[in-house]
Amino acid sequence: MAPRVDPVTSDTEIPARTSVVVVGGGIIGTSTAFFLARKGIPVVLCEKGHIAGEQSSRNWGWARKMGRDPREIPLAIEALKLWPQMNELTGAETGFRQCGIVYLCKTPDDMAKREAWLEEARPYQLDTRMLTRDELTNVLPGLTGEWLGGLYTASDGRGEPQKAAPAIATAAQKHGATVLQQCAVRGVETQAGRVSGVVTEKGRIACDSVVLAGGVWSRLFCGNLDLRLPQLKVMSSVMRTEPFNPGLETSCSGFGFGVRKRLDGGYNVASWSGNLHDIVPDTFRFFSEFLPSLKLQWRNLRLRVGGKFLEDWQVPRHWALDASSPFERVRTLDPEPYQPILDQARTNLTAAFPAFREMKIAETWGGVIDVTPDGVPVISAVDSVPGFFIATGFTGHGFGIGPGAGRLMAEIVAGETPVVDPTPFRFTRFSDGSRPLPSPLV
Ligand SMILES: Cc1cc2nc3c(=O)[nH]c(=O)nc-3n(C[C@H](O)[C@H](O)[C@H](O)COP(=O)(O)OP(=O)(O)OC[C@H]3O[C@@H](n4cnc5c(N)ncnc54)[C@H](O)[C@@H]3O)c2cc1C
């Protein structure tokens, strides 16, 4: 079942020409369009389904610096500076609340891993600290069970995935952006090697630049331009409770569960340990690149062999722009959630917080996450196709850094000094022999 997302009113006119076309209306595409439009740059945002229909409405809603790959911490810091301003910047409710986040530790090994991360993150002077068992009870009232301690960041928070990207898209419109839904971009046109426009299912738009923020579809889109973007898909499941009051404000994850309070008084409950990867042809194409990250996380990932292999095999890898493209065939990716893992999450959560035994599940959903081999996104110009930019591969943490990533992408497109050094996010890292360090996939 797809979660209900705040609606956005599409513009009706398709401009014949603009400066930038953004492909994809998730948190990344909407934030990029918003920050471009605020600079007075003409921008058209095209979404094949509805705004935030895929990952950006289906995620847990955590916005964190904690636990992030050190390459990404500066961007996460900028994003967490932006989040508290987003309601004012958009004139709407994005749901951000600075609630703090805790990673619970059950074993000495868990403690050692968290302490090691804290050491790595020390140069960034975050407010993250280790909590003792007694301190845990102050931050997480009602916690029971044998926990050794936890890692805690008071300044991290939560946003509302079903509200944030729609609010940002509507705000982009107020700054002059055009937002088109049910409008798949079939591909990019070039003249003398550089971007000259896009072909959408509703017609052609001439433009100077294209930003691809297509989530799990980005690899396919790039393929038609003969660009190799190593990207795989991982399916994750979530449940939402009815509003109730177990007294938990701080988001936390522990042994086989994650929980965060929602603005509507309910909770999102899930588990990172139950992510599914369907074996598809790309699994083999990218196997060697993903292997180091897979090794880091094989316990948390289930591999599934089934009909998806054939389904993916049949998707064309190249197509002409004057006929229907693969993007028009699936308006919104809406996978079945994996119930056994949700049942496990429920058992683990209620063992840790007995007050959750009263929870009533209102809905469940699945979401497909786009992952890169090093767990870090691509936010980059593509040098071989001048005018083409990519912001994708957010590997399970793009919601929290979304506004920061959108701002960074807009600055790169505008040719301004970027808010953080974008070098770790360059597209060429997969092909220039630099062998970026692996990071857990989601
Ligand atoms: C279950 C789950 C839990 C998660 N939890 C968290 C969390 O707690 N915190 C966090 O920070 N992150 C989390 N994430 C990850 C986060 O949701 C993503 O990283 C983020 O939403 C990615 O945003 P996006 O805009 O890149 O992609 P998406 O939201 O997937 O948007 C891409 C959009 O592009 C559109 N599109 C693609 N191709 C075309 C085309 N050719 N033409 C037009 N439109 C096109 C698609 O329809 C889609 O709407 C989670 C993800 C899932 C699924």
Side-chain angles (χ1 to χ4, degrees), residues 52 185 207 226 262 273 287 330 396 418 441:
V185 178
C207 63
D226 291 327
R262 298 169 54 94
S273 48
F287 186 74
V330 183
L441 303 177

Side-chain angles (χ1 to χ4, degrees), residues 59-77:
N59 63 74
W60 295 12
W62 292 30
R64 63 185 167 95
K65 304 172 287 284
M66 189 165 79
R68 283 312 311 133
D69 188 299
R71 287 167 287 190
E72 211 179 279
I73 292 177
L75 186 57
I77 291 172

Side-chain angles (χ1 to χ4, degrees), residues 24 26 28 47-48 55-56 59-60 62 185 327 396-400:
I28 304 301
E47 164 55 52
K48 67 179 169 55
Q55 294 176 84
S56 294
N59 63 74
W60 295 12
W62 292 30
V185 178
F327 309 112
H397 45 268
F399 180 72

Side-chain angles (χ1 to χ4, degrees), residues 23-29 46-50 52-56 58-63 183-185 213-217 221 236-238 272 327 331 367-370 391-392 394-401:
V23 183
I27 190 85
I28 304 301
C46 297
E47 164 55 52
K48 67 179 169 55
H50 58 275
E54 298 193 345
Q55 294 176 84
S56 294
R58 293 160 187 263
N59 63 74
W60 295 12
W62 292 30
C183 183
V185 178
V216 294
W217 301 88
F221 194 96
S236 192
S237 308
V238 181
W272 273 143
F327 309 112
R331 291 287 165 192
V368 186
I369 297 173
D370 58 321
T392 204
F394 284 83
T395 315
H397 45 268
F399 180 72
I401 61 166

Side-chain angles (χ1 to χ4, degrees), residues 115-336:
E115 276 160 5
W117 181 84
L118 197 52
E119 197 48 44
E120 265 192 295
R122 203 164 295 286
Y124 302 101
Q125 299 184 318
L126 306 178
D127 59 334
T128 309
R129 62 193 173 95
M130 294 300 296
L131 298 182
T132 62
R133 177 65 182 90
D134 286 348
E135 287 170 325
L136 278 179
T137 316
N138 298 333
V139 180
L140 303 172
L143 177 71
T144 60
E146 290 180 10
W147 303 98
L148 290 185
L151 188 66
Y152 174 51
T153 306
S155 61
D156 281 350
R158 61 181 197 242
E160 284 306 328
Q162 288 129 44
K163 294 186 144 327
I168 296 168
T170 304
Q173 284 174 309
K174 287 186 195 142
H175 284 285
T178 300
V179 174
L180 305 170
Q181 297 171 100
Q182 303 291 316
C183 183
V185 178
R186 291 177 176 163
V188 172
E189 287 184 328
T190 56
Q191 258 175 23
R194 66 159 297 129
V195 167
S196 59
V198 295
V199 177
T200 80
E201 62 181 306
K202 294 182 176 172
R204 180 174 188 277
I205 306 172
C207 63
D208 305 315
S209 308
V210 172
V211 175
L212 174 62
V216 294
W217 301 88
S218 299
R219 181 264 187 286
L220 191 64
F221 194 96
C222 281
N224 206 36
L225 279 168
D226 291 327
L227 296 172
R228 186 177 184 279
L229 174 71
Q231 188 186 41
L232 290 178
K233 300 172 196 170
V234 171
M235 206 283 284
S236 192
S237 308
V238 181
M239 52 193 167
R240 168 176 80 79
T241 76
E242 298 283 3
F244 78 124
N245 189 11
L248 186 66
E249 289 296 324
T250 302
S251 305
C252 93
S253 74
F255 179 75
F257 74 89
V259 59
R260 75 112 185 147
K261 190 169 184 185
R262 298 169 54 94
L263 206 56
D264 62 14
Y267 288 80
N268 276 6
V269 179
S271 166
W272 273 143
S273 48
N275 294 316
L276 276 174
H277 171 66
D278 285 301
I279 306 271
V280 291
D282 274 352
T283 314
F284 299 101
R285 291 185 187 112
F286 297 136
F287 186 74
S288 61
E289 277 148 291
F290 277 86
L291 190 59
S293 290
L294 276 170
K295 279 186 189 156
L296 286 179
Q297 220 192 356
W298 64 271
R299 273 176 214 274
N300 292 340
L301 202 63
R302 289 154 199 242
L303 301 180
R304 189 165 63 179
V305 186
K308 280 267 175 253
F309 188 94
L310 205 59
E311 227 178 83
D312 260 42
W313 187 261
Q314 285 164 345
V315 175
R317 310 218 75 81
H318 284 92
W319 56 90
L321 303 188
D322 59 0
S324 177
S325 70
F327 309 112
E328 286 138 86
R329 286 176 214 153
V330 183
R331 291 287 165 192
T332 304
L333 206 50
D334 184 23
E336 274 291 306

